[in-house]
Amino acid sequence: AQSVTQPDIHITVSEGASLELRCNYSYGATPYLFWYVQSPGQGLQLLLKYFSGDTLVQGIKGFEAEFKRSQSSFNLRKPSVHWSDAAEYFCAVGARGYSTLTFGKGTMLLVSP
Amino acid sequence: GAVVSQHPSRVICKSGTSVKIECRSLDFQATTMFWYRQFPKQSLMLMATSNEGSKATYEQGVEKDKFLINHASLTLSTLTVTSAHPEDSSFYICSASEQGAEGNQPQHFGDGTRLSIL
């Protein structure tokens, strides 16, 4: 069975500082990997996805993520955080050929002035 | 592109009422739709997966008769919470996915429905 671990429940970053949110997955084959962002009281927005190819994936809003097979990780990064990035971030893994996703528990990002 | 509309955004109703939530894909054909439930400060819990024209597949522990799902067309799925009680109060989110060349495509989410049962 596949699983996703987001070790950090919440992270506080100063505005303008760099950000890295951790995600580790467990899956027997090459997974499909996703990062979603959720603002309070709203649904989830897809930031980026990894299916195959280049292991460094660019997403929307200046985010990127790197797939590292050896570490079973798919960490999300942003070089300079903006106050509007404060939200909850979910990492998810899916199996090839199936649309069902397994989500991590999420990391709440707080941005300080 | 890939917009999913969920309606209503908020419902407050009395115990015993049945509530219907709609999920529409506006600019793509959703071969698969998903219904999630999210408790405060927690992750999404998948309730069921539905493919157009067939019965929904429910996750373990989710009552089929309590949470009726219909996916009658490639752009619409509905979740009906029957005889809702206060413990059914939650944030319900739908998502939709279209079948792509790579076999599966990202899920696109609606904005959720906040259900409050008094």
Side-chain angles (χ1 to χ4, degrees):
Chain A
Q2 56 207 37
S3 66
V4 178
T5 301
Q6 292 181 247
D8 304 305
I9 297 173
H10 51 77
I11 283 182
T12 300
V13 175
S14 298
E15 189 168 16
S18 63
L19 168 71
E20 183 169 30
L21 301 182
R22 296 183 290 167
C23 172
N24 292 96
Y25 68 90
S26 173
Y27 183 62
T30 301
Y32 283 176
L33 295 160
F34 306 82
W35 274 99
Y36 285 89
V37 60
Q38 184 182 33
S39 297
Q42 295 189 15
L44 278 68
Q45 181 182 23
L46 178 67
L47 286 176
L48 48 79
K49 63 182 186 291
Y50 171 77
F51 281 1
S52 64
D54 193 346
T55 56
L56 184 62
V57 179
Q58 301 297 320
I60 62 171
K61 303 185 180 185
F63 286 94
E64 66 177 26
E66 187 171 12
F67 170 56
K68 293 185 177 180
R69 185 190 303 274
S70 61
Q71 298 177 20
S72 297
S73 69
F74 189 56
N75 294 348
L76 181 71
R77 301 194 294 250
K78 186 170 184 177
S80 178
V81 169
H82 188 261
W83 64 266
S84 60
D85 294 324
E88 183 129 33
Y89 291 80
F90 292 95
C91 180
V93 62
R96 290 179 181 271
Y98 298 91
S99 297
T100 305
L101 296 178
T102 299
F103 285 87
K105 292 186 182 298
T107 298
M108 177 64 72
L109 172 64
L110 304 173
V111 180
S112 60
Chain B
V3 178
V4 174
S5 173
Q6 188 172 339
H7 178 80
S9 59
R10 186 174 182 95
V11 179
I12 301 173
C13 57
K14 293 181 180 179
S15 184
T17 306
S18 291
V19 178
K20 179 184 283 190
I21 303 170
E22 290 189 351
C23 181
R24 294 180 185 272
S25 59
L26 299 185
D27 51 2
F28 66 99
Q29 293 190 320
T31 50
T32 308
M33 285 188 167
F34 305 84
W35 288 95
Y36 294 87
R37 184 171 179 176
Q38 186 178 32
F39 294 98
K41 300 183 190 257
Q42 293 190 25
S43 188
L44 285 75
M45 181 191 79
L46 180 64
M47 298 174 66
T49 303
S50 73
N51 292 293
E52 183 263 339
S54 59
K55 290 185 179 181
T57 301
Y58 289 80
E59 296 299 302
Q60 191 172 7
V62 178
E63 299 176 57
K64 300 178 183 181
D65 296 331
K66 176 74 170 177
F67 300 99
L68 300 179
I69 292 171
N70 182 278
H71 190 169
S73 76
L74 283 172
T75 58
L76 173 64
S77 176
T78 60
L79 166 68
T80 301
V81 184
T82 61
S83 187
H85 291 282
E87 60 266 27
D88 299 321
S89 299
S90 192
F91 191 57
Y92 293 87
I93 309 176
C94 74
S95 71
S97 176
E98 60 184 328
Q99 193 68 15
E102 291 183 304
N104 56 340
Q105 293 295 311
Q107 293 181 28
H108 301 284
F109 286 79
D111 283 338
T113 297
R114 173 70 60 194
L115 176 61
S116 301
I117 308 299
L118 305 177

